[in-house]
Each structure stands twice: as structure tokens, then as C-alpha cells.
Amino acid sequence: MNAVTTPLSPEELSLIDRYWRAANYLSVGQIYLMDNPLLREPLRPEHIKPRLLGHWGTTPGLNFIYAHLNRVIKARDLNIVYMCGPGHGGPGMVANTYLEGTYSEIYPNISETTEGMQKLFKQFSFPGGIPSHAAPETPGSIHEGGELGYALVHAFGAAFDNPDLIVACVVGDGEAETGPLAASWHSNKFLNPARDGAVLPILHLNGYKIANPTILGRESDEDLRNLFSGYGYEPFFVEGHEPAAMHQAMVGTFDQVFDRIRSIQRKAREKTAPEGMPRWPMIILRSPKGWTGPKEVDGKKVEGFWRAHQVPVANCRGDESHRKILEDWMRSYDPDDLFDRSGQLKAELRALAPQGERRMGANPHANGGLLRKELLVPSIRDYAIEIGERGSKQVQSTEILGHYLRDTLKLNDVKQNFRIFGPDETESNRLGSVFDVTDRVWMESIEDYDLHLAPDGRVMEVLSEHLCQGWLEGYLLTGRHGLFSCYEAFIHIVDSMFNQHAKWLKVSRELPWRKPISSLNYLLTSHVWRQDHNGFSHQDPGFVDLVANKRADVVRIYLPPDANTLLWVGDHCLQTYDRINVIVAGKQPESQWLKMDEAIAHCKAGVGIWDWASYEDGTTAPDIVMACAGDVPTMETLAAVMLLHEAIPDLKIRTVNVVDLLALQDPKQHPHGLEHQTFDEIFTTDRPVVFAYHGYPYLIHRLTYRRTNHDNIHVRGFIEEGTTTTPFDMTVLNELDRYHLALEAISRVPGLAEKVPDVIDGLKAKLVKHHDYVRRHGEDMPEISDWRWKR
Amino acid sequence: MNAVTTPLSPEELSLIDRYWRAANYLSVGQIYLMDNPLLREPLRPEHIKPRLLGHWGTTPGLNFIYAHLNRVIKARDLNIVYMCGPGHGGPGMVANTYLEGTYSEIYPNISETTEGMQKLFKQFSFPGGIPSHAAPETPGSIHEGGELGYALVHAFGAAFDNPDLIVACVVGDGEAETGPLAASWHSNKFLNPARDGAVLPILHLNGYKIANPTILGRESDEDLRNLFSGYGYEPFFVEGHEPAAMHQAMVGTFDQVFDRIRSIQRKAREKTAPEGMPRWPMIILRSPKGWTGPKEVDGKKVEGFWRAHQVPVANCRGDESHRKILEDWMRSYDPDDLFDRSGQLKAELRALAPQGERRMGANPHANGGLLRKELLVPSIRDYAIEIGERGSKQVQSTEILGHYLRDTLKLNDVKQNFRIFGPDETESNRLGSVFDVTDRVWMESIEDYDLHLAPDGRVMEVLSEHLCQGWLEGYLLTGRHGLFSCYEAFIHIVDSMFNQHAKWLKVSRELPWRKPISSLNYLLTSHVWRQDHNGFSHQDPGFVDLVANKRADVVRIYLPPDANTLLWVGDHCLQTYDRINVIVAGKQPESQWLKMDEAIAHCKAGVGIWDWASYEDGTTAPDIVMACAGDVPTMETLAAVMLLHEAIPDLKIRTVNVVDLLALQDPKQHPHGLEHQTFDEIFTTDRPVVFAYHGYPYLIHRLTYRRTNHDNIHVRGFIEEGTTTTPFDMTVLNELDRYHLALEAISRVPGLAEKVPDVIDGLKAKLVKHHDYVRRHGEDMPEISDWRWKR
């Protein structure tokens, strides 16, 4: 602990301690009581909830921090958001927002009366009530306290481009053991004090997880000081358990720390600081787990041990002695000293909370939709490529999107509310033209031969998908816009973060007071079919399978086959809100199929027949439908259609392309789902369909199983065969190439195979020829590389 | 750098430098050449591969470390495995194992001749050849160099219970930015020097990723020293670019570091060290990216910059000046000074490599199947529970498995080759009886009130699923056994690690020299239906969807409905090899259905009709099949069956339970798939099936879409509706409860609904009653809690 100082007068000390006790009282009440909220009667079994669910252990520490943040907000008129890492501290966040009045403003039925308090208590972890963690339902929260590890990265995401904001981020010592959190400390290398807000990490060491000590909790102060100095911070320690001393220490430390933050920002903004990364302060708070709760229960240590993690004293309904412990514990906070007869917090305590939007539960940054400004976007027609003869040009589609993104960055430069995130791959993913107008954010030293590094860049690159995702989430949740471009295979690294964000959106959409935020947009490129440098470990198209499990109102999946469709999709996604959009598109040179007008119409429909690639007579149904989704499958499908038509001119072939994957689904299941009649018109009700799909074939079956013609849909996709090989050989290994597709089509048209044995032999011979050629020369046969659509 | 010393004589210096040059030469050759391997002719276009794929940047540093490890292995007779974090250094790992002779022993067609070298070069990143990363194909590797972040955690997993082994783990500075790697440094808190081997982390700072500097590469030595001291290590620096000085520095540092390791181990084993965690050494090696490669190409900086990351000089076929750069570069290593006329490494250099199994490419720990000993397991019958009347007992099934695991730990205590991994949840997941015979591993301080913490525990708990998974992978890959128990929702955190391990297994199985390793076993408990404390953020059953995407020969998914079936499944999984087994089972008290003999027969079949829960007359097909998979769905299905039978006694109901989920799949797709005839006998070919499934309903459709009766299968499962509520209310929210199931069954039997309007009204009334009751009382109606199967 720092030198003992007593910045608070006895009166101030008493007030802040009472405020803290009020929060602690309300926290315990939520966990235990369904009636008799102010203990105006002796505690009886029926006052206690039948199922005791909640987490006490971390809560008093969170309440302690909240009370002290209130003090500095008022004293310095600060704009602070409270990021609560130990999500298990839900009762504390609810208690504090209730005390400051925010809760009752948002939920008027939970009023600041004894009756309101009874409802506040009962609803917690109760059917039809609120969850036990900080959640979308919790005012002032942009961080779900479920899965752990993302508090700090959310905090930085919130602080970027918010120069006046300070994000006070409490990191639990359990959470601190996770990988994403361990990497998040390095976010200080990406925070520019001249342009961004500040993050104040408060590492809360209460020493225990569910049933174990914590790694950092058992480290010496010296090791901790080294560790966080090594991460680039200036650590401040606040340690102890005696409330009065702890209040004084916290006030003294907060005063130092907020002075430090102000000084760093002032120097950076006045340009009086040396270049490079400042050493931001952070706080290490050691306080007992379950602080102020029962010291022992049934002779076993509780306070200061992991037994305080959830419900410190269990059977309070059935066991009189346990009930006595609970009652004594709650009365130790002296509720009559805190709340008046009507149940309202006493006026002198109320006066400790900030006013209006300075209250952390009412800070608009924690309800980012309130602050969200529309993204300015250029017209996609300005970037449209002239395709000439269909399939004649080889274009890197993501490069074209890069031009659009470059100008989007430019258009929003004044607003400073759009960033691009990715793990060191912006250039590799062919989005490099964004560097015509901006740089990569970099706060460490910059050498004269470095390229496109600057403290004020708008592209965020770090070799951690967790950080990219978490920063972007924090950025979106505070009302801004962004795009995450990533290798397709490695987006699985953030599967669980995606899950949690989808859950957040699902619940937020059900809360009218939460305003819509911009969608989380993924551009998955360097996809499974074009891992020329990397091979099998980089080949996994399964992320969309996970996405398709989520609520239909939250997710969208797009597979644009060429540059103009990618432009439409990218532009569309960036302007949506409260969704997660996944775009899968290749970065390698590829054939171009649709003119801009056609691309717009096709993307709006989601699924369409490509007449120019079909051989139908318009009178009867086709013999075969060749369907495709994804750029490489589209290419191979078109080649197969040409092979089939050249070999069997009277075969009636329909070619269908799918851009909006979830349009395949039943409209009852997904809002983009095609009406059954439309689906049947496109895919027929009885003709064989050969469907070449970008990813694992099952997904197409799963999406179409309610469709009339489902039993005739034969899907080819990635069947987990991969290595470092040529692009075409990858499709052959997975039997998604033009020859396999054509052979499959022939086998599916009744009676056809018997009629065209020579065609079949010819196609099989091509496969043999390919096999020999590629293994000898290490590149694709000229007839593959030079193939062009001819019609 | 440490004080300049010259431990090597000029002759020794020359030898080790030549060895390094040989490895560098072979690395460049692999990236570029398909012919003329020893440059015995001038380099011509046709000698160069048409597609240049590979990564040079990290390789010379990896080769440098390899050469120096060879030296200490020989000098000290050490048992060292090389864990290559920068997977992009594939060419280096291949080059070194070729130089030491391992490669040609495993792949005799790649002989130590000029012809062999030509094949070695050509096969690299070539169709039909080997991948560009360290991979299963690479001798001496147990670590795929694809997705980054897991080198260090694999290293620790390999070192546990291997007291004589030293794992030299090279961590790239790109990889070091990932979350899992940042957390992995804390693995030192779990390594016991008395019992385990050592890990020597070598942080290789070459300063750049694909297109960016690295965070750690740009940190000052002081910050790095603080950071790694804070993590608990003693850092040693080796920095520079001048080869002679660097060789001397590396030798001096290695000598200190290996002395330090020996000293730590000796003191711990002789019990002369103070208790607690030793301060293990680690090395920070700063060397230029692309060291010894072209300094500039086309006037642009290459060596010591990110342009050296992949192929430093491109288009060597078409551009003569580029070809000249390549030729000069390769000749700078002076191949004639390194290889004799026949193409073999010269004898004096060969003598630098260790012999036999001391060669890192031949170390059996890197082919763990060679060392794997069968796990000793007790008889599951000894743990079988007496079920009495079916459904009459409420048992925590995982607790029963815990007894079996306790004794498995005991049986293998002598072998020290079985550990249990999990994020702080062993006790919470009801496996606590393992603490009767062992403890949690803990190397930090232990207080007198701590429970079940010890340096020699066999349960590994850390609040990081990444560390649990990575340690277990490392442990399995070196020939041992283990189990990972995890909350179901948060296993998604390691989706991508699962993917990579599945890929490793898939490829390893195709390599005859790689011997089978034990399966990776997941016990997913605290599942979606029983998140009583936690709510929506903890509810996600989608991991198995990801698993089902993988190769059928690698994955298994089990949903045992009660304790005896869980015993069989757990016992079975622990004895399999080269697979990933996922077991989903609840930890809460639940009804018990099958006697041990029945459980064994049922699990072996995978899917079965439960006659005792069916109402059939044996002559005709049933009116309805009520199928279920998972403990909660089984419970609700049986209750629905009873409701239906009581209300409609002449309804012919068949009850089917699925334990082995992939048995639903076509036998052509999965080896466990039921034959179609068997499937049809169980599920009928035309009767309605109401299928109550544990997870997302789509998976059942996907698995059964090739089955005759597929169109009549109506699946209910988790539809992403969740919150903190009662167990039964969770099923109601997702319409998987007994009432919804019974209503669905009635609606699916042709003509039935019209006949039983009162039954339908009665069931609907129950749902209304439930809704009111649970929101009023906060617990389930007594008729739900007290429900018992009666027959």
C-alpha cells in the first residue's frame, strides 16, 4: 500500500462508507430475499428465496470501487464508464445503479420505495426476472459477465476515438488467468492519448476463484509490479481489509491516478510529451473475497476464501442458525441508517452519486446506440468493375472492396468513428489501398523504414483475433462502426466471443431502452480453397455453421462470387445494425461474372437463376440444376456447365447462384428465407440439383431440409481433405472440381449415364491427367489456368 | 547481451557455423528449387519451382537454435525435444532432421544423396509433397505450425511427468501476441521440478510479423526483463546479428541456462530447495528476420524487415536479376564446403549431431505413441448404481463417474501418466472424489486453510480453457492419458484448438511411423439445461456441431442419459486412441433408468428401443416414436410418454434413446453409423418420430437426412431461449418439455388431434399453470420436481 494518508475527513469517510454499505446491503438482499427487504420484521423462512442463486464473493469489492468512482466523477466532473469484468458481480452493478436512481428511471416498476426494493430483490436470478451477471439488462453495462476474459479489451474498444471518456475496467483475478485477458494488457500499445480516451485497469485480487486460489492473487507485490511494468503500466497498490483505511487509501490512490491520466492526456494533446507510448497508471486492489460477509459458517472459513464465491451461507430457509447468520450479516450494514422510512436512500447519501449522464448507469457510452451516427458511405457504383466478356477478367475482389473502404475511411475521417481490425493481414487480404488514406495504429517506436505505422492510424492490426474481436465489440457497443477482416480458418479462435456477442444482441433487441448499434461485420478471406502458402492447418470453413445456429434475427451469411457482388454486400452490411454479418470472399485473382446492375439485383434477391449460364428451352423444367455458393464453387460450377453443354448439347441445364446463404432457409426460420413458391420455382420441385458449396456440405442440407425438393439436392463441399497444393487440386481433392461436378450431374439425370459413356470416360480421363500434371509440374494444367467462360 | 565471452575455440566456432549454414542452405533450397540442388550447374529458370511458397523469415533463427541445442545435447547427454512455435519455420525443421539423418530413416526415398536432396527440395510445398509448416509429417514435431499460440502450452504438457525431458520451446514474437500464448507463460506455476521435466522458453524476437513490427520486438530490454520476471522467470538475453559473436553468446548463455535447470531440478529432487516455485530461466533471442538472406531486393529492405517473412525474392524464374540474387544468396553458404560429392553432409559436420534417439528428430517423446502405456482402469461394475424402481432415484451422474476416476488415478499412480484438466470446476462438476487420492497442482504458496492443493497433485485447474486444452494435448502427444472436464458453453473457447488437434490426428493416422496416441476426452457438464446459477451466457450446446464437421474416423459424440451409461462411456473413451471423444452429461441430481447390464448393452448398440418405456403390441408398427438424446431430453421424453399413455391408453408408443450420436449417421459417413436396416427397424420407415435432442435441433436433421424416415422426424432442442430460471422452465422456454413433446406427438399422429381435444386442452393448461407457478414461487411445481416414472 502507498504511504498512509487520510485525504477524507471523518464526515466524508463516514458518508462514503455508508454508501458502500448500502450497496452491499442491496447486493445481499438480491441474492437472498423475496420479501421483508428492509428487515423491518424479523427474518422468517418465507422471506427467503427457495433457490439461492448468485455470487457474493466479488461484489463488495465492486461496490467499493463504484462508490469511489462516484466520488472522483463528482470531484472532477469526469465522464466514466464502469466495465465490470467479474460478471458474477451482477448484484453489485444492479445495486449501484439502483442507488444512483438510474435503475428506477429505466425500470419504473422497480421504484425507490420499500415496495420497489422488494421487487428489486425478488427479480434477481428469479424466473421471469433478471440474470445473475452484469448483462444487457443492467444499466451502464456494455459487458456481459458470463464468459470471462474480455473486460479489458472491451474497455479499450470503448476508449478508442472517445477522447473525453475514461473507462474504469475492473479485471477479476480469475478472469486474469484467461488467454484473451493476458493479451489484452498489450492494448496500451494501441491507445493514443491525443486522440483516444483513457482506460484505467483495476486488477481486483480477491485471491480466489470457485474453488482455488488465483495465480495472480498468490504472487508477490514485487512480481506483480514487474509484470505490469513489463506490460508498460505504472502499477499502484491498494491493499487491506479494514474499511476506513481502505477508503483513505483508495481516495489517495485515485487522486494520484486520475492526476496521472490528466497529465498524460494534456501533454499528448499539447504535444509536450515525448513521442511514444505513455506509461498509463493501473491499480492493483487486494481485498478479501466476500469482504464484510460472514467470517465463518459451520466452523468453516468463508470471508477471504473461495467459500464466499457464490452464496456464503446456504440453507437460510430451512436452517435457523444459517438464517440467523444471514440476518446478522444484513443488519451489520444497519439498513435504517441508510434508507429512510419509505425505503429511499437517505438524502445525504444520495448526494454522493453524480447527476444525470454522469451517473455510470446512465452514461450514454454504455448504450452506444444513443450516440451512434450513420456511417457515410460512397456509392458502390463508383467502384464497380467493368467485367467485359463474362469470366474474361481475373480480379482480386477484396482489392476492389479495399477501394470502397479507403473512401469510406476518408468520408468518415471527420467523425472518427470507423476502424478496420485484423490480425496483421489487411495488406495480405488485398485491402492495402486503405493505406492510401490512413495507417496502422502504432504507439511503440517507429523506424524510418517502417511503412504505414502511425499513432493516429485507423487500421488496428495485432496477431490476436481475440483482441481484434474484443476491440471491435467495445467500439460498436459504444456507437461506432467497424469491420474485422480475418483468415477464414482462424476466425474459429473467436467462436465463443461471437457466441457471447450474438447473445448480447439477442437480449438487447428485446429491451426498448437499448438503442440499436452497428452490426459486427466479418470479412473472411484467405479462405479454405486458396491456402496456397499454408495448407491443411489453415483450411476450415466451419465458422458459418456456428453462425447459423444463432437466432435468425441476429445473423446473416453472404458468399459473394465476384467483385461487384462483394461491393454490394460489403456496403449493405456496413449500414445494418444489431446484426452479425459474415462475408466470405476470396482475395486471389478470380473470374468476374456480374455487371453492377446485375450484381445489385442478384444480391437483393439473395438467390437467382443465372440465365446467361443456363441452357433451358423455357418450356419445360430443366434436366438438372447446377447450384453454387461461394467464389470457387461458382467458378467450378460454371466450368462444369460448359463441359456438360459442350459434351451433351441437348441437356437442359439451369445454373443457380446463392449469395445470401440464409435465403435457403424456411422463411419461418429466417427473415431472409425465400418463400417456398419462389424456392420451388428456382430449384424445381423434382429435378436433381447438384449444389457446389464453399463449406461443409451438411449446412446446405440443414438449411434446405424443409424444402420440397430437398431429397434431390446433392451437395459437394469441403470434406476435410487439404494440404499445400494448387488451387485447382484442392477442389479435386474434395471432389468439388468441374469434372466431379459434371460427373455427378450426369449420374443424377435419370437415364443419362447410359447414353453418354464416352463423356464420362472423357471427364474421368481429365482427372487422371490433372493428377499427373500437377504432381509433375507443381502447377495447374494450362487448360485450368486459362479457362474462360465462352458464350 | 551478456558479457562477451568466447567459449568456443575457432575450430568449434567454424564447425557450428558451417552446420548452421548447411541448415540455412537446405531451407532456402526447399523454398526455391526443384532441381540442381547443390548448384553444381549455374541456376536456370527450370530449376526453380513455378510457385514459390514457404516462409524464410523465421527459419535462420530456428536453425541457429537447433544447431546450438545439438551442441548441448551432445556435451551434456540431454534428452531434448524441440517445440517449434513459429510454424512457418517448416523448412528449418525439415532441414535439420535431414542433416541429422532422421529424415532419411523415416522417408528412405529422401536419401542423403544429391538425388535425395533434389527430392527433399521439390516435395516442399508441392502438390503431393509436404506442407510448408512443421506438421505431423515433420520428424520430431508434436506441434503443428499453423494456427499460432500453443507452442508453450504444448511444451509444458509434454514436460509434465517426464522428469528427464527438457522441452526447448521457441516462441515467435508474432505468436507471443496471441491470448493463449500470453497466458501460457503462467504454466510455470504448475510445473513441479521434482516430478516434471523442464521447459526452456526461447522467445525469438525477430521483430516482424507478415507486414508489421511485433509488440514485444519493439519493447525495450528493461520492459521485457520486467515482464518475464513478473511472470516468474529469469530472463537471459542473446542479441545481435554478427554470426561469430552470436554463436559465442548462445553457447555462453546455453551453458548458464542448462546449469540453472540442472541446479533447480537437483535441489528439488534432493529436497534442498525452499518450497515454492523456482525461477526457471528463459531466453530472449533477438536476431534479424531473414538473417543471412538478401539484404535488399529491388532497392527495398529485406533482411531485418517483414519483407523477409515469406519468399524474400520473388519471380526467380522469370526475372534474371532476381535469380542472380537467389543464386548468390545460396552460394554464400558455400555448399561445397558443407556437402560432399555424393551430396551427403560432410563427416566433420555430421559428427556435430547427436546420435540415435538423442537426435531431436528421433526423440520418442515427439512420437508419443511409441511410449504410450495402456491406462489401467477398474471394472465399471464396481461403481454401478442400483437403480431400484426406474426413475425413482435422483443421482448426480458425474459424481458416480468421479468414483471411477478416483480409482483410475490410484491405479495409475505408479505410472504417473494420467491427469485430469479443467478450469477450476472439478469439484463444481461433482468429480470431487478424485481429491480423496490426489490434489490440485499448485506451486505457489499454500496456506494452512487451503484445500487439496499440492505440488504433486494430478488435477490441473486454471481458469483458462486454452491452457487446459493445450496442456492435455501436449500430454497426450507425448504418450500419456487425460480427461478435460469443462462447462459445455465455454468449450467453444477452444474450438479452434480442437480443430487443429483433429487435423493433427487425421494426418498422423495416415503416417505409419506415427504411433497411435490416447484420445482427447472431453466431459462437457454444467450443460445448457442446468445453468441454474448462470443463465443465458452459459447456455450453448453447439460444440458438438463443430465436432460433427470433422473426419468421421477421428470424432465420437456420446450423450449418456444416466450414471451407468456415463460409466460405460467414460470407461470406453479413456481406452480409445487417436480420437476425440465428446461426452455430454449433467452434474445435477437426475433420474436413473438403466441397470448396469442394460447400460452396457445399450451403449454398445449406441441406439436402442427402451421396451420398458414403450407401449407397443408387438404386431404392428407403433403410432409414434418418441426418441431422445441427452439426460434432460430423456427425462422429458419419458414424462411425455407417461402423459400420453395415461391420457390415450391405446396409443402405441415406442421410446428410443440415443447414446452414441453419430450412430444416427449413414454408415458410409461414420463407422458407428447404424446399418440402414437397423435404423429403419428402430425408427420405422413411415411413422412420425418426435425427437427430443440436447442441442441445436438441426444436427439431428443433418445426421439423419439420408435415412428412409427422415421426413417424419420432428426435432426439438435448444432454440436459443435462455435465462436464469428453474430447470423445468428452461425446457418450457425451448418447447422441449413433456407437455410440448406430448402435444407435438398428438399433432403428428394422423387423425389423433381431432379425437382427443380434452387431452390437448389439459396439456396446454399445464403449461399455463407452470408459467404462473414458477413466476410466483421461483421453483418448479411439485408435480414436476416429484415426478417419477411409474410402471
Side-chain angles (χ1 to χ4, degrees), chain A residues 586-625:
Chain A
K587 70 182 188 184
Q588 302 291 349
E590 60 188 10
S591 301
Q592 300 294 314
W593 310 111
L594 298 187
K595 298 174 209 162
M596 197 71 234
D597 283 337
E598 293 169 339
I600 292 170
H602 183 53
C603 291
K604 282 186 178 169
V607 178
I609 299 171
W610 281 3
D611 288 325
W612 52 268
S614 300
Y615 297 89
E616 297 192 72
D617 60 11
T619 58
T620 59
D623 298 314
I624 182 91
V625 177

Side-chain angles (χ1 to χ4, degrees), chain A residues 263-285:
Chain A
S263 159
I264 289 170
Q265 290 182 329
R266 196 183 52 233
K267 286 181 193 162
R269 293 169 194 183
E270 294 171 353
K271 300 188 191 301
T272 56
E275 285 196 358
M277 194 183 87
R279 198 162 281 274
W280 294 97
M282 58 90 64
I283 293 175
I284 297 174
L285 169 65

Side-chain angles (χ1 to χ4, degrees), chain B residues 281-531:
Chain B
M282 58 89 65
I283 293 174
I284 298 173
L285 170 64
R286 287 199 201 256
S287 69
K289 186 147 188 153
W291 197 11
T292 72
K295 299 236 175 308
E296 285 196 353
V297 175
D298 300 337
K300 289 182 176 166
K301 181 175 174 66
V302 176
E303 192 199 33
F305 198 51
W306 51 255
R307 287 198 194 87
H309 184 72
Q310 295 182 347
V311 177
V313 47
N315 193 20
C316 297
R317 263 199 171 187
D319 183 325
E320 200 175 334
S321 74
H322 281 200
R323 194 161 60 252
K324 174 77 165 53
I325 292 172
L326 172 63
E327 185 164 0
D328 290 348
W329 171 20
M330 292 193 74
R331 290 197 190 280
S332 76
Y333 299 122
D334 196 359
D336 292 335
D337 182 42
L338 310 171
F339 301 96
D340 66 18
R341 284 310 300 166
S342 73
Q344 193 168 21
L345 186 65
K346 290 195 173 175
E348 67 274 22
L349 299 182
R350 235 202 129 89
L352 299 185
Q355 300 295 309
E357 294 189 350
R358 286 297 194 232
R359 292 172 300 174
M360 290 185 284
N363 192 312
H365 292 285
N367 184 4
L370 290 171
L371 302 174
R372 176 180 181 268
K373 299 197 184 81
E374 293 299 322
L375 186 72
L376 300 179
V377 290
S379 165
I380 54 172
R381 290 182 186 276
D382 296 343
Y383 309 89
I385 61 162
E386 294 296 332
I387 62 165
E389 291 283 310
R390 291 190 204 274
S392 64
K393 271 192 195 162
Q394 297 289 297
V395 172
Q396 298 182 330
S397 297
T398 53
E399 185 187 344
I400 305 303
L401 184 70
H403 302 160
Y404 167 92
L405 291 172
R406 174 196 62 210
D407 293 345
T408 303
L409 281 162
K410 224 171 1 183
L411 280 171
N412 296 280
D413 194 45
V414 177
K415 293 191 187 175
Q416 298 274 305
N417 65 350
F418 179 54
R419 294 199 187 201
I420 293 174
F421 302 78
D424 191 30
E425 291 155 3
T426 308
E427 191 87 64
S428 160
N429 287 337
R430 313 291 188 258
L431 303 176
S433 65
V434 301
F435 296 121
D436 296 349
V437 300
T438 190
D439 296 298
R440 299 179 182 90
V441 187
W442 193 257
M443 292 303 300
E444 293 189 289
S445 64
I446 298 176
E447 305 296 330
D448 54 8
Y449 48 80
D450 279 330
L451 296 174
H452 302 307
L453 297 184
D456 60 356
R458 307 201 65 72
V459 175
M460 315 233 17
E461 292 196 345
V462 59
L463 214 160
S464 166
E465 287 78 2
H466 291 114
L467 296 198
C468 293
Q469 170 90 15
W471 287 340
L472 175 55
E473 288 178 0
Y475 200 65
L476 298 173
L477 286 160
T478 47
R480 283 78 64 76
H481 310 268
L483 174 76
F484 179 8
S485 98
C486 189
Y487 274 42
E488 183 186 41
F490 299 148
I491 197 67
H492 274 300
I493 291 170
V494 297
D495 276 3
S496 212
M497 297 180 80
F498 155 81
N499 268 345
Q500 296 297 325
H501 191 69
K503 284 174 179 288
W504 179 277
L505 291 178
K506 186 246 181 196
V507 176
S508 291
R509 290 166 67 106
E510 295 163 1
L511 299 167
W513 63 273
R514 285 245 175 226
K515 299 305 169 199
I517 60 167
S518 294
S519 299
L520 198 164
N521 301 305
Y522 294 101
L523 174 64
L524 304 186
T525 180
S526 300
H527 64 48
V528 56
W529 301 107
R530 295 303 304 269
Q531 285 303 327

Side-chain angles (χ1 to χ4, degrees), chain B residues 626 633 636-637 640 644 690-692 716 735-746:
Chain B
M626 301 293 284
E636 292 307 309
T637 295
L644 286 168
V690 174
F691 198 126
R716 285 171 179 264
E735 304 184 355
L736 183 80
D737 61 282
R738 56 199 67 181
Y739 306 124
H740 277 100
L741 293 178
L743 284 164
E744 168 99 52
I746 291 170

Side-chain angles (χ1 to χ4, degrees), chain A residues 83 133-146 154 365-368 473 476-478 497-511 513-515 517 550 554 578 580, chain B residues 536-537 720:
Chain A
M83 192 76 68
H133 304 103
E137 291 90 339
T138 317
S141 174
I142 55 167
H143 178 75
E144 173 89 41
H154 283 165
H365 292 285
N367 184 3
E473 288 178 1
L476 297 173
L477 286 160
T478 46
M497 297 180 81
F498 156 81
N499 269 346
Q500 295 296 325
H501 191 69
K503 283 174 180 288
W504 178 277
L505 291 178
K506 186 247 182 196
V507 176
S508 292
R509 290 166 66 105
E510 296 163 1
L511 298 168
W513 63 273
R514 286 246 174 226
K515 299 305 169 199
I517 60 167
K550 292 292 141 192
V554 169
D578 275 356
I580 299 175
Chain B
F536 191 46
S537 65
E720 206 66 15

Side-chain angles (χ1 to χ4, degrees), chain A residues 383-410:
Chain A
Y383 310 89
I385 60 161
E386 294 297 331
I387 62 165
E389 290 284 311
R390 290 190 204 274
S392 63
K393 270 193 197 162
Q394 298 287 298
V395 173
Q396 299 182 330
S397 297
T398 52
E399 187 187 343
I400 305 304
L401 184 68
H403 303 160
Y404 167 91
L405 291 173
R406 174 197 63 210
D407 293 344
T408 303
L409 282 162
K410 224 171 1 184

Side-chain angles (χ1 to χ4, degrees), chain B residues 201-216:
Chain B
I202 302 168
L203 178 65
H204 184 202
L205 301 183
N206 64 30
Y208 297 91
K209 296 167 287 192
I210 305 179
N212 259 323
T214 59
I215 292 175
L216 294 178

